[in-house]
Amino acid sequence: MKKLLAVLLIVFAVFATTLVVNGAGETFAITVSGDEVVPAGGTVTYAVTIGDVKEGTSLGVISGQVTYSTDMFEYVSFAVDADATTVEDWDFDIVSHENGVVSINIMDNGLFDTGEAADPLVSGEKIVYTLKLKVKSDATGTGTVTVTRAMGGATSKSDSGTMNSVSVTLKQKLPAPAGLTWEGSVAKWDAVANASGYSVQAYKDGKEVGDAQIATGTSFDFKNELTQGGKYTFTVIAVSDQPEYEDSDESAQSTDFYTKVGTLATPKIKLTQDFLNGGLEFLITDTNASGTVKQYIVEIYEKGSNTVVETVKLTDKSGNLLCDGTKIVAGKSYVATVKAESKSEFYTDSKTSSKTEAVEALEKVIRIQFKTMPNLTYTEGDKLNLSTMVITLTYQSGATKDVAYKDFMENGLSVSVENNKELTMDDNGQAITVFYGVSISTTTPNITVASGTCPHTNTTTDRKEPTCGAEGYEKITCNDCGGVVSNTVLNATENHTYGEWEVISEPKENVKGYQERYCTACQYRDVGEIPALVPGQTNDGEEDPEDPEDPEDPEDPGDDEGDEGEGDDEDVGSNMNDLSRVFLIIVIVVFALTFLFIIGGTWMSSRRSRARAARRGRRPANRR
């Protein structure tokens, strides 16, 4: 009997305990949920949910409390989560906070208007608050976030609710790895307890190189990652996959270095025709780091030859290779290679690049002009036709080249107006400019676009004649509509009007001299030769320095055709010059003889006087 009573007491105790634990008679719940492991110094969020209302129960008034450990947390905020809350028209703002306790006293706003809850909290509905707490940076050990009060009811707080608690453990930060060393290209470090792996980052000159590498052990070989020359260090972060541990801070950089001697990347070079300066234009593309290349060595080869015609050392990655007439000659095609020369102890020179495609070197163009003008007269709606246009290129040597419109692009020419453009009256009076490169151009007269309503029978012509140094024009304008019927450029004549010859270099024996003259209209300079002197001839006896082949020279001794009598006058002048020279010689001879006669007479008289004096000195004394 006593045993039976003991068993009944035990069964009753278990039943009573079950009722207490399960909250027999409790009609709703206030629960808290969130992280159970938190990092020091971080902010964590917990959800406080009011719900789990039993069937047949309606709540219009709720009171609750949430308590947190103040030695671990600092309060940040407590606010309703409107997105998660499913009831409306409640006064959610009746919340207070003091000394680690958040108090909730909320109610349905319709409760006092109708005498019953208008939007009560019933089964399937919930109210959710968000509690934000900051974990103290000096927190240690464990803490809790606990619901300590849960009361509610339809019109008063007569029903109780279940509550819960969350135990919170502080997440431990792993210590930073130590003992960082290099063994060749292998980075090594000491193991860290509770670390599941390591993140290893290489550095060069204080900057990260590539991405961090993951290692499961305490070493990592960088031989495939560190390809550029230089001095490298590394750092390590200990990583944990356990929730109660936090990754370590980054370690200090290794105190020793891994030195890598690399080879400079091979640059590339491209040759193009230099339409502006003549010759060739080069462009070097280089991926090497700044400060590693001392200079670029470019070798030029004539197309089809393996013999270097010129080696150029450059610091610039772009520039010109001008035609010098010996190494690079206009009209010939060339290829080039390039290599980078190192200026760093951590790099060797690059390999030599492959040869470029062959490009023809150009002679420098100094002027362009129209040889054939395009049509400049149109009716509104017509399309601009440039197909007949021809441009003459004039090179530095004086050579010329005619380029048709279809070949403009490959010869460096471009046009300001697109061919086949449909013309409107807005295009009337506009000109077409042709460019060679960016600095040389020539422009047509203005385009004439007629409206198509005027026959242009009553016109006026304005004409300016061309000269040797300037173009002229002929412009025809309609007197009725004012439109320009045509506007034609008259090319310069290049028939110069020269001034007198001037000697700039006297001829010598077997050496030609030179003379120059200038056009009085455009100052064009013409240079002519003076024949060399024959042995024994002097400049006094040389012929007239005027160009003997110039038919316009009035003093040309060979220009005697059709000039009757002029040859006789020249003979008389020539004879007079001869007589003058004979007369001058006679005068000089007479003057010389007279001078000798006077000198001789004076000398003889003096000699006689000295003889007489000598005789007087020898007379006897008695004769004195």
Side-chain angles (χ1 to χ4, degrees):
M1 187 67 181
K2 289 182 179 180
K3 292 182 178 180
L4 178 60
L5 181 61
V7 171
L8 291 175
L9 287 174
I10 292 172
V11 171
F12 177 78
V14 171
F15 178 73
T17 302
T18 303
L19 289 177
V20 171
V21 171
N22 292 330
E26 295 172 341
T27 58
F28 72 104
I30 299 180
T31 58
V32 60
S33 60
D35 293 339
E36 296 182 358
V37 180
V38 296
T43 299
V44 291
T45 300
Y46 292 93
V48 179
T49 304
I50 304 172
D52 289 336
V53 181
K54 287 187 177 181
E55 291 287 347
T57 300
S58 177
L59 302 179
V61 178
I62 299 171
S63 175
Q65 282 184 340
V66 179
T67 304
Y68 58 86
S69 301
T70 55
D71 57 348
M72 175 175 282
F73 296 109
E74 294 177 355
Y75 178 78
V76 177
S77 65
F78 188 80
V80 67
D81 184 345
D83 293 334
T85 299
T86 59
V87 296
E88 298 178 353
D89 296 326
W90 278 63
D91 189 355
F92 297 118
D93 297 330
I94 309 176
V95 175
S96 63
H97 166 259
E98 185 176 4
N99 298 327
V101 178
V102 179
S103 299
I104 309 169
N105 289 284
I106 58 176
M107 63 181 356
D108 182 0
N109 283 331
L111 181 65
F112 296 104
D113 295 336
T114 63
E116 59 182 19
D119 189 12
L121 187 68
V122 295
S123 177
E125 302 289 347
K126 63 181 178 178
I127 298 172
V128 182
Y129 282 90
T130 298
L131 173 62
K132 289 188 177 181
L133 300 173
K134 179 176 175 60
V135 184
K136 292 182 177 181
S137 58
D138 58 352
T140 59
T142 61
T144 59
V145 180
T146 305
V147 179
T148 57
R149 179 178 174 81
M151 300 296 295
T155 58
S156 64
K157 293 174 280 189
S158 58
D159 297 338
S160 63
T162 59
M163 300 172 288
N164 77 321
S165 178
V166 176
S167 296
V168 181
T169 303
L170 191 66
K171 181 177 286 189
Q172 301 293 316
K173 177 175 284 191
L174 295 175
L180 280 65
T181 59
W182 286 100
E183 288 187 8
S185 61
V186 179
K188 293 189 173 184
W189 57 91
D190 295 339
V192 175
N194 298 307
S196 59
Y198 302 89
S199 174
V200 192
Q201 177 65 60
Y203 288 83
K204 176 184 175 185
D205 300 327
K207 297 180 180 179
E208 294 182 354
V209 178
D211 297 327
Q213 304 297 318
I214 301 301
T216 56
T218 56
S219 65
F220 183 83
D221 192 348
F222 278 101
K223 65 180 180 181
N224 296 325
E225 279 70 29
L226 307 183
T227 58
Q228 296 185 349
K231 296 173 70 175
Y232 294 90
T233 60
F234 72 97
T235 62
V236 185
I237 296 175
V239 179
S240 176
D241 56 5
Q242 303 178 53
E244 62 268 30
Y245 291 102
E246 183 180 356
D247 295 351
S248 75
D249 292 330
E250 187 176 26
S251 71
Q253 293 189 22
S254 59
T255 56
D256 60 344
F257 299 92
Y258 167 57
T259 300
K260 170 74 174 180
V261 177
T263 301
L264 289 177
T266 303
K268 296 180 180 179
I269 185 171
K270 181 179 180 180
L271 292 182
T272 55
Q273 292 180 319
D274 191 340
F275 292 108
L276 180 61
N277 303 293
L280 301 168
E281 191 170 8
F282 68 86
L283 177 64
I284 296 173
T285 303
D286 185 17
T287 59
N288 289 297
S290 175
T292 59
V293 176
K294 177 181 179 181
Q295 61 184 359
Y296 301 98
I297 300 177
V298 178
E299 292 183 333
I300 310 298
Y301 301 80
E302 190 172 341
K303 179 182 178 181
S305 171
N306 290 323
T307 301
V308 177
V309 298
E310 185 173 13
T311 300
V312 185
K313 296 182 178 181
L314 306 162
T315 55
D316 294 331
K317 295 181 181 179
S318 62
N320 312 96
L321 301 170
L322 301 180
C323 295
D324 59 5
T326 55
K327 298 175 182 177
I328 299 179
V329 180
K332 292 186 176 181
S333 295
Y334 297 88
V335 298
T337 62
V338 64
K339 76 173 183 177
E341 186 176 306
S342 174
K343 67 180 295 187
S344 170
E345 61 180 314
F346 303 116
Y347 288 93
T348 58
D349 296 350
S350 76
K351 296 180 180 179
T352 300
S353 71
S354 57
K355 291 181 179 179
T356 65
E357 294 183 0
V359 177
E360 180 183 346
L362 297 178
E363 186 178 356
K364 184 176 182 179
V365 172
I366 60 173
R367 185 174 68 254
I368 67 173
Q369 60 188 123
F370 286 100
K371 179 176 183 180
T372 303
M373 283 281 181
N375 179 32
L376 299 175
T377 304
Y378 297 89
T379 300
E380 186 177 8
D382 289 347
K383 291 186 177 181
L384 182 66
N385 182 12
L386 303 180
S387 61
T388 60
M389 182 165 50
V390 178
I391 290 291
T392 299
L393 308 180
T394 301
Y395 295 98
Q396 196 169 29
S397 65
T400 61
K401 178 182 179 181
D402 294 336
V403 181
Y405 175 74
K406 64 182 179 63
D407 300 322
F408 271 20
M409 182 176 294
E410 63 187 70
N411 285 275
L413 294 167
S414 59
V415 186
S416 62
V417 183
E418 184 180 358
N419 189 34
N420 289 325
K421 173 188 176 183
E422 186 172 328
L423 300 174
T424 67
M425 293 305 297
D426 291 337
D427 297 307
N428 185 45
Q430 301 298 316
I432 302 170
T433 301
V434 179
F435 298 93
Y436 183 87
V438 296
S439 60
I440 302 177
S441 63
T442 186
T443 303
T444 68
N446 293 339
I447 299 173
T448 300
V449 180
S451 64
T453 59
C454 180
H456 305 312
T457 56
N458 180 17
T459 60
T460 299
T461 300
D462 181 18
R463 182 182 178 89
K464 178 184 176 182
E465 296 296 333
T467 65
C468 57
E471 295 176 338
Y473 63 85
E474 183 178 86
K475 181 179 181 180
I476 301 176
T477 306
C478 179
N479 296 326
D480 295 331
C481 68
V484 178
V485 177
S486 65
N487 197 345
T488 305
V489 172
L490 305 177
N491 292 332
T493 63
E494 299 187 2
N495 294 325
H496 301 286
T497 302
Y498 293 105
E500 298 294 330
W501 285 104
E502 292 185 10
V503 177
I504 57 176
S505 176
E506 296 285 353
K508 299 178 182 179
E509 287 188 6
N510 299 320
V511 179
K512 296 178 180 179
Y514 293 93
Q515 55 190 350
E516 65 180 2
R517 59 182 179 176
Y518 290 87
C519 176
T520 58
C522 69
Q523 298 302 306
Y524 177 82
R525 179 174 179 256
D526 183 27
V527 177
E529 295 182 353
I530 302 174
L533 300 180
V534 299
Q537 184 182 5
T538 65
N539 286 335
D540 291 340
E542 71 180 16
E543 296 179 358
D544 189 337
E546 297 293 337
D547 187 349
E549 297 182 1
D550 186 355
E552 296 182 6
D553 186 355
E555 297 181 10
D556 188 345
D559 187 13
D560 57 357
E561 294 184 10
D563 296 333
E564 296 182 1
E566 288 185 6
D568 296 334
D569 291 340
E570 290 178 1
D571 292 340
V572 171
S574 175
N575 292 336
M576 288 299 294
N577 290 337
D578 292 340
L579 291 175
S580 296
R581 286 194 288 270
V582 172
F583 179 78
L584 180 59
I585 292 172
I586 294 173
V587 169
I588 292 172
V589 172
V590 171
F591 178 81
L593 292 174
T594 302
F595 178 80
L596 291 174
F597 180 79
I598 293 172
I599 294 301
T602 302
W603 179 75
M604 292 297 293
S605 176
S606 174
R607 183 174 181 182
R608 286 195 297 269
S609 295
R610 287 196 298 272
R612 285 195 296 270
R615 287 194 298 270
R616 283 196 299 269
R618 293 194 299 267
R619 289 177 181 176
N622 59 353
R623 294 192 64 179
R624 291 182 180 176

